[in-house]
Amino acid sequence: MTNQLTSDALGDDYRTWLAELKQRVERARQRAAMSVNRELVTLYWQIGRDILERQQRQGWGARVVDQLARDLKAAFPDMRGFSPRNLKYMRALALAWPEPEFVQQPAAQLPWFHLCTLLDKVKEPAARDWYASKSLEHGWSRSVLAMQIETRAHARTGSAITNFGERLPPPQSDLAREALKDPYIFDFLNLTEDAQERDIEQALTTHITRFLLELGAGFAFVGRQYRLDVGGDEFFVDLLFYHLKLRCYVVVELKTTQFRPEYAGQLNFYLSAIDAQVKAPEDHPTIGLLLCKEKNRLVAEYALRGVAKPMGVAEYQLLREVPASFESTLPSIHEIEAELRHDLKNDS
């Protein structure tokens, strides 16, 4: 028999104190890891800058990178990261962010392989900075960062047609506008273009984690076919969310047709009902999002001018479009048929 104390025996005060200590230790560990990463990335940027400067000043070619890799590996045999490939990434890093202020920018705080992903996949400096900033802000993993780049999140964010500027005060309207995209990409549902609204709703809730990732940071799922009782009549909201940063409910209505002006009236009614029956006094006004298969931009703009509630209109895609830059590299139908005929001829 031992006299060892337990957490339960020490009571609630001890358990509360222990929980606080655990949080403090975890925060310290995270800060230490971030500090180490920042020092490493800064070192890599400095090495890349030196390679660039000496190649330009001394006229050294690409082979100096291979020699430098061998010499650094010999000097630091226990240290990883000095392969020729990694040194070329360091050079690319210094070329992408040439100013000394790089060490103060969001990119300098990202893990090294996040930066390699940015250097591989994003060529426009402004877009690269956007992804670096959002990745740091939202804590994207490397795979999530790659997915956001592949779906061109930077070009879609803030692109929905809205009336937020007229219906919300400036700070809230700007945040709300940035919370919406156009178009939304639902290729993870594995549905065809003729899928019905209920099929899409069901698939979105089944894949809610991926759906929330596509919606963006801050969305919390409340329910599907959310029931409203208005004067004894029942109405059902397709999808209801709460946005933690905007501090408001978000009603999402899904339409498998082109946008029609009457859809805005229906959504306006739902927003009024949510504001009256669900919204707490401290919540901001509920906003709406109409997701349509397609839209006439001018028709949508006109329709939103006449509604009292804040809402936006965006398209959704069940299949991701092939980027224009890839289209020229894809073979035509005639080329594929010619290749098949050639193969069959050789086989015979």
Side-chain angles (χ1 to χ4, degrees), residues 145-172:
L145 171 62
M147 183 273 295
Q148 297 285 6
I149 294 171
E150 289 168 6
T151 60
R152 292 182 54 78
H154 76 286
R156 298 186 292 122
T157 298
S159 298
I161 301 170
T162 74
N163 62 359
F164 295 157
E166 296 76 36
R167 299 294 178 261
L168 296 172
Q172 185 79 356

Side-chain angles (χ1 to χ4, degrees), residues 54-70:
R54 280 160 174 74
Q55 282 183 325
Q56 293 169 0
R57 189 169 64 239
Q58 304 291 346
W60 293 335
R63 284 187 296 178
V64 70
V65 172
D66 295 328
Q67 182 59 49
L68 183 61
R70 288 191 290 270

